[in-house]
Structure formats: C-alpha cells, structure tokens
Amino acid sequence: MTLLPPTRRRRTALALGGALAVALAVTLGILRPWLPPAETPPVAAAESGLSPAALTLPDDPEVLVFGDSWTYGSAATVPTDGYAYRLARLIPGDTVVRGVRGSGYQKPGLDGPDFLTRVAGLEQWIDPDLIILQGSINDRRSDAAAYPAAVNAVWDAMSAKYPDVPIVILGPAPHELPVGASTARIDRDLAELAAARGWWYISPVRERWITDENYLRLIDVGVGRKHPSDAGHAYLAEKVAAALERFSTAPVTAADGAKPQPAK
C-alpha cells in the first residue's frame, strides 16, 4: 500500500493535535489530580471562611467522640483500644465514645442508623465540653450532590442539642492508597463546610497522616479489613491530641471581638 503525503489541512490538524496532547501531558504532570493535596496544617478555615476561635476547655473536660467504625475501635485488639478511647489517656478529662460501624452522614451502619438519627438518640446524660465529629468514608458511594445538605443537617442537629459546645470536625482518613477520588471529595466538602461555620477541621488526607511508608504498620489489611491496627489507633490518638493542643493555643482573632492573644 502506498501512503500519500498529508495535505496542508491534514498537516495543520496533526500539528494542532500534537500540541494539545503535549499541553495535556504537561498539565497532568504538574497538577496530578489523582493525588491528594500537598501537606498542610490542620484546616482552620478556607480563604473565604470564618476564622475559628481558640479552643478553650475546662481543666477536666468531657469529650464526646462521635463517628464511624474508626471511632468504634474496629480492628483494635479490643474496641476500647481504639483511638477515641486512647485519646482520653493523652488529654485531660474523659471521652464518651459513640461510634457505629459502617455509618455515615448519609449511610446507616451495621449496628446503628445514620449520623443524623444517631445524634437525635444521644443519651440525655451526655454533657460534653467538646465534640469531635469524625468521618466518614462510608459516604463515598452515596449521592455526592446531596452530601453537603446531609452534613449540614447533622451539624445543625448536634449544635442544637449541645449549644455553645465547640465542635471539631475530623475528616476521613484514607483506608487505602492512593487516596480515592470520592474520599478526597468528601475531605474537600467537609473542609469547606467547616470553614463556612468557623469550625476547626482536621484533615488526615491533606496532612498525609497515612503514607506508603507507614500504611502497612497503621492499617490492618487482613482480618481488620483496612481499619487501623493497634499501632494505627495509637497513632491517630496522638495526631488528634496534637491538633487539639494547637487549636487551644491559636490566637484569638479580631473577628472574635478581642485583641489577638494566646488562649488561657
């Protein structure tokens, strides 16, 4: 078969196509959208959001830790060795742990309902000085468009139940690497929604708590079904405690109506 030389129009089209291919390759090489964002400190607020006030707690606070299977203590030797229980050993006060496996803002769990229903069912005797609301990768297969409304409904209900109690949002931690697109989307949504309220947000994804180097030590990929190992739960508790310490020493901003100064 004899190949005919390309016409001027075809040469132009080929040249344009090649240029576009090169531009796309360069763009993907620079942005790499399948990777999580570069490491950042715990998210206080997005650029357009409100600045959270410094976290001020009594000497022996009661901390309500509310979330999914990671909060429950799944894959720990015993659930009470989970990060939420270990947290009480690292900070003053006590933790009240309410974790339900498989649950999320939109998804009912294995042994309990979705977050909103669970908030309504929290016992009357719980009187927290701080709430840590964790999760959840369990929502990654739910309706993404409806996710922000579901999150706001839970946060509104928690705020109404415990008015004037500070709430710290702990986003999803990656259970597998590379971080899935839906997990990254949940992390972004939660960061933006927390910023809009002036709430502290902790992002294990953006902070790269779990990496290729520590993954197999922190995550039980066998019988634990990609939940934290004992070492993983201890690590999570240390990370959360460190974040709370940073939040408690954050300067009070002008938006809080006071001269910036360390919290007491």
Side-chain angles (χ1 to χ4, degrees), residues 168-225:
V168 171
I169 304 301
L170 173 57
H175 67 300
E176 58 188 10
L177 296 176
V179 176
S182 54
T183 299
R185 183 262 306 169
I186 287 171
D187 176 66
R188 289 193 302 270
D189 285 351
L190 291 176
E192 291 173 2
L193 293 169
R197 294 175 180 244
W199 288 2
W200 288 109
Y201 179 66
I202 305 173
S203 174
V205 171
R206 297 187 186 192
E207 291 184 67
R208 300 180 189 273
W209 285 8
I210 299 173
T211 66
D212 290 332
E213 288 72 26
N214 64 21
Y215 179 78
L216 291 178
R217 181 175 65 86
L218 301 180
I219 303 297
D220 186 340
V221 298
V223 294
R225 300 178 64 185

Side-chain angles (χ1 to χ4, degrees), residues 234-249:
Y235 175 82
L236 292 173
E238 292 169 1
K239 286 290 196 180
V240 173
L244 295 179
E245 176 65 23
R246 287 193 293 271
F247 298 165
S248 68
T249 57

Side-chain angles (χ1 to χ4, degrees), residues 12-264:
T12 302
L14 289 173
L16 287 175
L20 289 173
V22 170
L24 178 60
V26 171
T27 300
L28 290 176
I30 294 173
L31 296 180
R32 293 181 291 176
W34 55 86
L35 295 178
E39 183 174 357
T40 61
V43 178
E47 291 182 1
S48 60
L50 304 173
S51 296
L55 189 61
T56 305
L57 300 173
D59 291 338
D60 294 300
E62 180 175 290
V63 181
L64 170 61
V65 188
F66 181 101
D68 56 27
S69 57
W70 290 50
T71 294
Y72 172 85
S74 289
T77 299
V78 292
T80 50
D81 276 339
Y83 88 90
Y85 297 92
R86 289 175 180 265
L87 186 62
R89 308 169 198 172
L90 301 176
I91 63 175
D94 299 307
T95 57
V96 177
V97 180
R98 292 295 179 267
V100 169
R101 299 172 295 170
S103 63
Y105 287 96
Q106 296 168 290
K107 184 179 177 296
L110 299 177
D111 38 18
D114 60 83
F115 280 13
L116 183 60
T117 307
R118 289 174 52 209
V119 169
L122 287 169
E123 300 92 329
Q124 292 295 322
W125 60 264
I126 298 176
D127 185 23
D129 299 296
L130 171 67
I131 297 167
I132 300 174
L133 209 165
Q134 172 268 328
S136 170
I137 58 174
N138 296 319
D139 295 311
R140 65 191 186 280
R141 295 186 179 90
S142 300
D143 183 2
Y147 185 70
V151 171
N152 277 320
V154 173
W155 293 0
D156 287 345
M158 190 72 85
S159 296
K161 195 175 189 74
Y162 302 109
D164 301 321
V165 175
I167 298 176
V168 171
I169 304 301
L170 173 57
H175 67 300
E176 58 188 10
L177 296 176
V179 176
S182 54
T183 299
R185 183 262 306 169
I186 287 171
D187 176 66
R188 289 193 302 270
D189 285 351
L190 291 176
E192 291 173 2
L193 293 169
R197 294 175 180 244
W199 288 2
W200 288 109
Y201 179 66
I202 305 173
S203 174
V205 171
R206 297 187 186 192
E207 291 184 67
R208 300 180 189 273
W209 285 8
I210 299 173
T211 66
D212 290 332
E213 288 72 26
N214 64 21
Y215 179 78
L216 291 178
R217 181 175 65 86
L218 301 180
I219 303 297
D220 186 340
V221 298
V223 294
R225 300 178 64 185
K226 298 184 179 179
H227 286 86
S229 60
D230 283 343
H233 279 290
Y235 175 82
L236 292 173
E238 292 169 1
K239 286 290 196 180
V240 173
L244 295 179
E245 176 65 23
R246 287 193 293 271
F247 298 165
S248 68
T249 57
V252 177
T253 66
D256 301 313
K259 182 179 179 180
Q261 57 184 348
K264 297 181 178 179

